[in-house]
Amino acid sequence: MLNRITLPVTPFAQNCSLVWCSDTNQAALIDPGGETERLLAAIAEHGLTLESILLTHGHLDHVGATGELVANTGVPIIGPGKDDAFWIEALDQQVQMFGFDPVSGFTPDRWLNQGDTVTVGNEQLDVYHCPGHTPGHVVLVHEAQRLAFVGDVLFNGGVGRSDFPRGDHATLINAILTTLLPLGDDITFVPGHGPESTFGHERQHNPYLR
């Protein structure tokens, strides 16, 4: 089983997910945007071994603690898609843009593509490329538990911004309609910000998808 807790971090209340395999207690942090000490404390509190950092996209509020975490743990960085490299290379500019404290730079050990899989202990997450918010944005889906980690693609009642460099609203909506929603109404998703929802609820009620 894939266990999980949500840890909102940064002034943007970004939903970092700590996920772990119940068989092995091996864990991953999905989108560790900041507050390194708090994230490490949560890992220790649950008796887990961090084995990777998983990134959905390259925006600072989703990746800001990555470099410091790697310095502390030495784990590999997996994701996002390579088209987001320009965001990661521009972390210093993002710090200035968003008014954050300086962060450590990093380079992912593995870029992700549509159809890839990643593992957390004995559990598997399927990778879906969902551009529009950023060009290399990926979504991670645990098929067995009907659970998705969607970053800033889709929210409860909203969708991601598309006014950043290389964002595109039509591309974003197309990714949601043709890649995510067909996976099934019963999938619960953890968005990058705000409360969880299901694909079915958003398909019926999200004003951006009508």
Side-chain angles (χ1 to χ4, degrees), residues 40-94:
L40 291 172
I43 293 166
E45 177 185 347
H46 288 83
L48 307 174
T49 300
L50 187 68
E51 66 171 358
S52 65
I53 293 169
L54 307 177
L55 303 178
T56 63
H57 65 294
H59 282 164
L60 178 63
D61 58 321
H62 290 253
V63 308
T66 300
E68 192 174 4
L69 284 165
V70 171
N72 277 274
T73 65
V75 299
I77 304 163
I78 301 173
K82 195 168 186 178
D83 283 343
D84 267 22
F86 77 101
W87 277 115
I88 294 169
E89 292 163 0
L91 281 175
D92 288 345
Q93 291 96 312
Q94 290 197 64

